[in-house]
Amino acid sequence: MADIQSRVNELHQLLNQYSYEYYVQDNPSVPDSEYDKLLHELIEIETNHPEYQTVDSPTVRVGGAAQSTFEKVNHDTPMLSLGNAFNEEDLRKFDQRVREQIGKVEYMCELKIDGLAVSLKYENGRFVQGLTRGDGITGEDITENLRTIHAIPLKINEPRTFEVRGEAYMPRKSFFDLNEAKAQNDEQPFANPRNAAAGSLRQLDSKLAAKRKLSVFLYSVNDFTQFNANTQSDALDELDELGFKTNQERERLQTIEEVLEYIEKWTEAREGLQYDIDGIVIKVNDLEQQDELGYTQKSPRWAIAYKFPAEEVITNLLDIELSIGRTGVVTPTAILEPVKVAGTTVSRASLHNEDLIHEKDIRIGDSVIIKKAGDIIPEVIKSVLDRRPQNAEVYHMPTHCPSCDHELVRIEGEVALRCINPKCQAQLVEGMIHFVSRQAMNIDGLGTKIIQQLYENHKIKDVADIFYLTKDDLLPLERMGEKKVDNLLNAIEKAKSNSLEHLLFGLGIRHLGVKASQVIAEKYGTMDTLFDVTEDSLIEIYDVGHKLAQSLVTYLENEDIRALINKLKEKNVNMTYKGIKISDLAGHPEFSNKTIVLTGKLYQMTRNEASKWLELHGAKVTNSVTKKTDLVIAGEDAGSKLMKAEQFGTEVWTEDDFVKKQNEIEG
């Protein structure tokens, strides 16, 4: 048995080495046949002796048993998106904002890989969980599929616990091979490598994912305090040393002129790459400066993504249709002769508003140029005047709502036309669709088609009616069997217990987003308290501006809204904030309003556990040691951050000191 264990260890070492050389360094030292021979030997040993199979065995690369679903998991910290720049002016404005706040700056420029954002968790050096970005708050657990990607190390040499983030992608060769196989089987090919990568990682059978030959580039860690890095560049170099695959085309640049040159270079050279990119990411390199610049609700202020100019094509504008949003905005949409743009077929595109249609003189029947804004949203750029037919029709927006026939109005200072009828069917349906969405009340199974059917059959006329639905209401609907109805009713019942912020966001109050809903719910605690708030008190809250304050107060003063809330209360829909109120806990004098840095290896708790505990007791946990840092908690192998703390004369605790203080406070 000792001989078998010794051979298994040897095979693990060789296969991991050869895989790293091939998939990360792109410099194989042995032919594929040698790797395949050793892998087959290991598979045979594990088949005959299952006790020698480990979770980080190279054999997991071939995939395992199929799953029935993907579990949804909350990210430890949100996976934020980046703000976009589409031209030189946007980039210069970003550079100006950065320099006005922090002065001299160095940028790290990286290629923006066109794939699927993923987050990888390691515990004591072993890969234990991988998530998709999802909505940034919650992702899907695709661990088994990510294990099949050879560029992701299943085990690293150091017993670290941390989270690394990056982009999973399909190399162009894998994409062409996949589509060739699909064509031979008379199957619909994938439109582009990004869609193929996303589809592959959402295969319930990891064996299928393994066959797709995906790869990954890692570009960030969740918490830089776990790294001996002072810059983004240092962190990427450290990831390289740990055996991760990072993109090597990155450059440190000192001026916006150098950034523009880097962008020009890769705009021209991107077709020569073995993978797709859709832009360039520009980050402030220094981590202290990143901390100083901070974040908006949706994105970091220290980074921006330059998107390559969108592909433009010509097609025919067949008609213009109108849609009514949940806030009553009437939006014209171009109905197009289907055409392929940036890898997908487009038959509809945004026209934004009537002023834009007239300003660009876009007419029904025109040949028009369309593109995808940010390679995602199709929009009409202009008409091709020398192709205009004689019968091209000038478009005029209607004076009345196409859904309810109520007169449309234009609010002062806005370009959009609105239907202000609170009983407009289109608005009510869109509002209910928003109400049940994931970040709102999250009623799984209650989709657009079911809501439309329920409304048209007079089973629901507002969001509160959803909680009054019965089995008899749902069974007659299309494709609604007994089990599906039971699941839906259970989901509705479960939604009643959601914390207040979900209800607030679900109500669709103008200007009220997810983050502001959370902040407001935490501050005021109950819906009844909210009914008495004033604009002045709301404006005092960080992240709440005049528009939101006015909108929320006006909304809650409406008698119809108060009746709606009472109707929800009658069905025991929760009206209370259930989350942890930081304000109630953030009062311990040892930590309140202190800036604290965690560094080195902690053994009695995870770094995330330590950070959350500190924040709950009033501290601000940051990544970098500065003159403003009040305390550094240093674990083993603390490195440069500890040295910096000593230079500044900053107070330093060991992990034992920290645990002792925790016990004093909680004991």
Side-chain angles (χ1 to χ4, degrees):
M1 288 299 183
D3 289 343
I4 295 176
Q5 183 65 69
S6 177
R7 181 55 178 165
V8 166
N9 293 344
E10 184 181 10
L11 288 170
H12 277 215
Q13 188 272 323
L14 288 171
L15 288 166
N16 286 335
Q17 175 189 331
Y18 297 154
S19 185
Y20 176 75
E21 291 170 349
Y22 186 95
Y23 292 100
V24 178
Q25 294 185 319
D26 198 23
N27 186 29
S29 61
V30 296
D32 291 352
S33 58
E34 177 67 12
Y35 180 92
D36 293 341
K37 184 181 78 173
L38 296 176
L39 181 63
H40 181 74
E41 181 185 347
L42 182 58
I43 290 172
E44 190 171 347
I45 291 174
E46 291 179 354
T47 301
N48 295 326
H49 304 279
E51 65 271 21
Y52 290 105
Q53 187 170 28
T54 61
V55 293
D56 56 5
S57 168
T59 60
V60 304
R61 304 289 194 188
V62 299
Q67 299 171 253
S68 59
T69 186
F70 293 115
E71 182 184 357
K72 291 180 173 60
V73 179
N74 286 339
H75 295 292
D76 289 341
T77 58
M79 289 185 73
L80 300 178
S81 56
L82 295 179
N84 288 327
F86 295 101
N87 50 47
E88 180 178 332
E89 182 184 0
D90 292 341
L91 289 168
R92 290 190 181 279
K93 285 180 179 177
F94 168 74
D95 179 58
Q96 183 180 353
R97 287 196 303 271
V98 167
R99 292 182 188 276
E100 284 176 354
Q101 186 165 345
I102 61 173
K104 187 177 179 181
V105 65
E106 178 182 69
Y107 291 117
M108 167 62 78
C109 285
E110 304 168 32
L111 303 186
K112 187 174 182 297
I113 311 303
D114 197 9
L116 182 76
V118 294
S119 174
L120 315 176
K121 290 185 178 181
Y122 286 77
E123 290 182 1
N124 296 318
R126 293 178 185 272
F127 174 52
V128 295
Q129 187 178 61
L131 307 178
T132 63
R133 180 183 181 277
D135 60 9
I137 305 298
T138 304
E140 290 183 317
D141 188 330
I142 55 168
T143 305
E144 297 311 309
N145 287 344
L146 288 171
R147 288 186 194 278
T148 69
I149 299 178
H150 286 257
I152 294 176
L154 302 176
K155 182 181 179 182
I156 60 174
N157 292 331
E158 296 187 22
R160 295 197 197 183
T161 297
F162 65 100
E163 182 180 342
V164 61
R165 292 172 173 179
E167 198 85 2
Y169 68 94
M170 180 170 283
R172 286 177 176 170
K173 184 181 185 307
S174 301
F175 175 69
F176 294 138
D177 290 346
L178 175 60
N179 269 357
E180 186 177 339
K182 281 185 166 289
Q184 290 174 357
N185 294 325
D186 293 324
E187 296 175 1
Q188 183 72 25
F190 281 107
N192 52 55
R194 177 184 56 205
N195 290 359
S200 300
L201 284 174
R202 297 199 77 259
Q203 292 286 336
L204 292 170
D205 186 348
S206 59
K207 290 187 177 69
L208 292 176
K211 292 177 182 177
R212 300 288 174 82
K213 297 181 179 178
L214 303 177
S215 192
V216 70
F217 283 121
L218 286 310
Y219 54 68
S220 178
V221 289
N222 186 26
D223 182 353
F224 282 109
T225 60
Q226 302 168 60
F227 279 59
N228 297 314
N230 294 314
T231 66
Q232 166 75 0
S233 177
D234 292 342
L236 292 175
D237 290 344
E238 197 166 341
L239 285 175
D240 287 337
E241 292 168 8
L242 289 169
F244 291 97
K245 184 178 181 180
T246 67
N247 192 277
Q248 298 301 306
E249 309 299 345
R250 59 185 183 263
E251 287 187 33
R252 295 165 60 174
L253 303 171
Q254 309 303 316
T255 69
I256 194 64
E257 302 302 333
E258 291 177 340
V259 171
L260 293 169
E261 288 174 11
Y262 179 90
I263 288 171
E264 184 178 359
K265 167 187 168 183
W266 285 108
T267 301
E268 296 174 1
R270 59 175 166 153
E271 291 306 318
L273 295 167
Q274 299 305 307
Y275 46 86
D276 280 4
I277 62 174
D278 60 350
I280 304 294
V281 176
I282 301 99
K283 300 176 182 175
V284 170
N285 195 30
D286 188 277
L287 299 183
E288 284 186 19
Q289 291 181 329
Q290 288 185 10
D291 277 348
E292 189 175 341
L293 286 162
Y295 299 81
T296 67
Q297 287 184 21
K298 297 180 179 179
S299 58
R301 291 190 176 94
W302 43 264
I304 198 165
Y306 171 80
K307 305 300 289 286
F308 289 133
E311 176 188 353
E312 296 183 352
V313 300
I314 296 178
T315 188
N316 294 323
L317 175 58
L318 305 178
D319 200 358
I320 294 177
E321 288 185 356
L322 299 174
S323 61
I324 316 297
R326 61 184 173 85
T327 61
V329 172
V330 182
T331 304
T333 299
I335 307 302
L336 306 166
E337 191 172 298
V339 63
K340 204 159 197 176
V341 189
T344 59
T345 300
V346 170
S347 59
R348 301 170 68 88
S350 175
L351 287 167
H352 299 291
N353 55 67
E354 183 180 25
D355 287 358
L356 183 142
I357 294 172
H358 292 162
E359 180 186 321
K360 295 185 176 182
D361 189 21
I362 294 169
R363 304 183 186 183
I364 297 173
D366 275 350
S367 291
V368 293
I369 297 174
I370 66 167
K371 73 173 184 180
K372 283 189 177 179
D375 284 339
I376 298 173
I377 304 168
E379 65 175 324
V380 177
I381 304 305
K382 63 180 179 179
S383 292
V384 183
L385 297 180
D386 58 6
R387 293 193 187 183
R388 173 168 285 167
Q390 289 185 349
N391 63 345
E393 181 184 341
V394 176
Y395 182 75
H396 295 287
M397 291 283 280
T399 58
H400 288 71
C401 175
S403 175
C404 67
D405 204 37
H406 193 280
E407 186 176 1
L408 298 176
V409 300
R410 179 176 291 192
I411 297 172
E412 187 177 350
E414 296 186 359
V415 295
L417 284 174
R418 286 182 186 273
C419 173
I420 57 172
N421 177 12
K423 297 183 179 180
C424 172
Q425 174 179 335
Q427 289 181 65
L428 290 170
V429 170
E430 287 296 324
M432 285 186 271
I433 292 169
H434 171 76
F435 183 80
V436 303
S437 65
R438 182 182 297 175
Q439 289 184 295
M441 297 300 280
N442 191 23
I443 302 179
D444 192 30
L446 192 53
T448 302
K449 289 183 179 179
I450 295 175
I451 285 176
Q452 287 174 334
Q453 287 185 71
L454 288 167
Y455 187 88
E456 288 165 4
N457 286 285
H458 309 292
K459 299 298 182 184
I460 54 174
K461 59 181 183 296
D462 58 38
V463 296
D465 286 336
I466 291 169
F467 298 98
Y468 289 76
L469 289 170
T470 66
K471 185 174 283 192
D472 290 340
D473 293 326
L474 294 167
L475 278 173
L477 302 181
E478 294 177 18
R479 300 179 182 177
M480 290 295 286
E482 190 94 20
K483 185 176 180 181
K484 196 171 181 180
V485 167
D486 286 341
N487 289 339
L488 179 51
L489 289 172
N490 287 335
I492 292 171
E493 187 64 30
K494 182 181 176 183
K496 290 180 182 179
S497 61
N498 284 339
S499 185
L500 175 62
E501 67 271 19
H502 293 279
L503 175 61
L504 279 178
F505 180 63
L507 290 172
I509 302 167
R510 201 163 172 222
H511 303 304
L512 184 63
V514 174
K515 176 72 180 295
S517 298
Q518 168 82 28
V519 171
I520 290 169
E522 180 184 335
K523 178 171 178 61
Y524 293 103
T526 69
M527 182 65 79
D528 287 341
T529 306
L530 269 175
F531 279 129
D532 296 324
V533 299
T534 64
E535 288 183 37
D536 289 341
S537 65
L538 282 166
I539 291 168
E540 291 176 3
I541 304 173
Y542 181 72
D543 280 338
V544 175
H546 287 274
K547 284 186 177 179
L548 171 53
Q550 183 181 46
S551 174
L552 180 60
V553 170
T554 301
Y555 181 88
L556 294 174
E557 284 176 346
N558 187 308
E559 290 302 320
D560 290 336
I561 297 303
R562 299 204 173 205
L564 177 71
I565 297 300
N566 287 331
K567 191 173 172 182
L568 288 164
K569 285 180 179 179
E570 287 171 10
K571 277 297 179 178
N572 298 317
V573 175
N574 177 61
M575 300 283 159
T576 303
Y577 177 68
K578 291 184 170 183
I580 297 172
K581 295 194 73 170
I582 303 298
S583 56
D584 289 347
L585 300 173
H588 196 277
E590 196 74 56
F591 300 106
S592 184
N593 299 316
K594 297 284 182 69
T595 299
I596 299 177
V597 171
L598 293 161
T599 185
K601 298 172 186 173
L602 301 180
Y603 291 97
Q604 300 178 61
M605 69 197 81
T606 67
R607 193 177 300 275
N608 280 333
E609 287 169 347
S611 295
K612 287 175 182 174
W613 190 94
L614 288 165
E615 287 168 352
L616 289 174
H617 289 78
K620 178 186 177 186
V621 180
T622 64
N623 290 328
S624 304
V625 178
T626 70
K627 291 178 181 178
K628 296 179 180 178
T629 304
D630 297 298
L631 173 66
V632 171
I633 298 172
E636 196 174 305
D637 299 327
S640 61
K641 291 185 176 66
L642 177 57
M643 292 172 60
K644 212 166 193 179
E646 290 168 346
Q647 289 171 9
F648 289 141
T650 306
E651 185 177 2
V652 176
W653 289 3
T654 64
E655 182 180 6
D656 286 340
D657 294 332
F658 179 39
V659 171
K660 183 179 178 182
K661 183 58 66 177
Q662 284 181 307
N663 292 335
E664 286 177 13
I665 292 171
E666 295 176 349

